[in-house]
């Protein structure tokens, strides 16, 4: 008997929690299309996207499937592994957080070879992170770059607490670097109405995109129309991705 895949196990678990309730979220704010229980999912072999906007649409449709617990049956077996070992043609590069609750391929219901995923705590930028993003765009020719923040981000929360206490989080240079990198977003939303952490996460997404536009690789490609940049926010409570 074949063991169920991690995607099948996740689907079963979400269904047990009430897939019907989740399905009702798919057509709400954020642009995620609404799916009916009879929706036919595409095959594992996806056609190439025409441009960044079409790539973003594919991601959002995939997220709607994830929210509704209607994930497509992606081929993650030996044949698919062998196929992508010969070459890769991902359609999007995504910068996200290291948070274990935000598995980016699952959130967008994509499989082997579909996405270039770069992760750092809070989506903090350094030379390695920026270089990895540039690699996905320039070398693998992804027409879409998404910067994905998420609800209740621990890295931004730790930064808020460190700034409030007027001290670093620890005596390690690595963690101190994270605080220094994420601090501008926290300072930018000081005094703003609403949830402070949510505001900081979303501000950080915007600031990160601003920094990435200064890249000699990313900026010119966006201006030429060959690259589409999208700010986004993942809701832990619903599984929904909202475009900012």
């Amino acid at each position: 008997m074949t063991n169920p895949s991690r995607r099948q196990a996740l689907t079963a678990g979400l269904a047990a929690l009430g897939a019907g309730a989740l399905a009702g979220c798919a057509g709400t704010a954020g642009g995620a299309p609404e799916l009916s229980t009879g929706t036919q999912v595409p095959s594992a072999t996806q056609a190439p996207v025409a441009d960044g906007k079409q790539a973003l649409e594919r991601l959002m449709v995939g997220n709607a499937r994830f929210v509704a617990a209607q994930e497509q049956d992606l081929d993650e077996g030996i044949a698919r592994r062998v196929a992508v070992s010969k070459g890769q043609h991902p359609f999007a590069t995504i910068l996200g957080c290291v948070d274990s609750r935000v598995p980016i391929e699952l959130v967008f219901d994509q499989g082997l070879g579909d996405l270039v995923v770069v992760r750092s705590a809070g989506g903090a930028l350094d030379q390695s992170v920026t270089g990895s993003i540039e690699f996905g765009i320039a070398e693998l020719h992804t027409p879409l770059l998404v910067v994905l923040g998420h609800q209740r981000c621990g890295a931004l929360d730790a930064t808020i607490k460190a700034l409030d206490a007027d001290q670093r989080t620890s005596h390690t240079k690595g963690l101190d670097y994270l605080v220094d990198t994420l601090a501008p977003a926290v300072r930018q939303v000081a005094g703003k109405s609403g949830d402070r952490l949510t505001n900081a996460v979303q501000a950080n997404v915007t600031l990160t995109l601003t920094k990435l536009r200064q890249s000699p690789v990313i900026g010119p490609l966006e201006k030429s129309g060959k690259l589409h940049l999208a700010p986004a926010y993942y809701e832990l409570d619903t599984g929904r991705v909202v475009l900012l």
Side-chain angles (χ1 to χ4, degrees):
M1 179 180 294
T2 302
N3 292 327
S5 69
R6 58 187 175 87
R7 192 178 300 277
Q8 291 170 330
L10 175 62
T11 302
L14 288 173
L17 290 173
L22 287 173
C25 299
T28 55
E34 187 172 295
L35 298 177
S36 67
T37 55
T39 297
Q40 295 296 314
V41 297
S43 66
T45 303
Q46 304 188 76
V49 296
D51 53 31
K53 292 183 179 179
Q54 190 176 95
L56 182 59
E57 180 180 357
R58 179 173 290 180
L59 285 181
M60 297 307 292
V61 169
N63 177 247
R65 291 193 301 266
F66 175 75
V67 171
Q70 295 177 3
E71 292 93 333
Q72 60 185 332
D73 186 16
L74 294 173
D75 185 358
E76 297 175 331
I78 295 174
R80 176 62 175 168
R81 292 203 305 270
V82 171
V84 297
S85 74
K86 307 301 181 184
Q88 56 175 320
H89 303 283
F91 68 88
T93 296
I94 301 177
L95 170 62
C97 183
V98 298
D99 195 297
S100 63
R101 301 166 295 178
V102 193
I104 292 175
E105 287 89 349
L106 293 182
V107 164
F108 289 108
D109 193 32
Q110 302 300 321
L112 295 175
D114 289 333
L115 303 177
V116 175
V117 175
V118 182
R119 300 175 70 170
S120 63
L125 289 180
D126 63 14
Q127 190 172 7
S128 176
V129 171
T130 301
S132 297
I133 294 169
E134 290 174 341
F135 179 82
I137 293 167
E139 298 298 323
L140 299 178
H141 308 294
T142 60
L144 173 65
L145 169 60
V146 177
V147 174
L148 181 68
H150 71 90
Q151 187 179 26
R152 292 191 289 275
C153 178
L156 265 300
D157 186 49
T159 300
I160 289 173
K161 292 174 180 176
L163 293 180
D164 285 351
D166 194 25
Q167 64 184 19
R168 302 296 183 88
T169 58
S170 70
H171 297 292
T172 69
K173 291 182 178 180
L175 292 177
D176 288 345
Y177 176 84
L178 284 177
V179 170
D180 290 341
T181 303
L182 300 175
V186 175
R187 295 191 178 103
Q188 186 181 86
V189 300
K192 183 178 179 180
S193 62
D195 181 74
R196 186 182 181 191
L197 178 54
T198 299
N199 291 341
V201 171
Q202 295 183 357
N204 187 59
V205 168
T206 301
L207 289 174
T208 298
L209 279 174
T210 298
K211 292 177 183 177
L212 289 173
R213 284 187 168 101
Q214 297 171 8
S215 158
V217 172
I218 296 170
L221 284 174
E222 183 189 23
K223 290 178 180 178
S224 70
K226 295 180 180 179
L227 175 67
H228 182 68
L229 271 57
Y233 178 80
Y234 176 69
E235 298 176 346
L236 292 175
D237 293 338
T238 67
R240 187 166 58 105
V241 172
V242 179
L243 297 178
L244 301 176

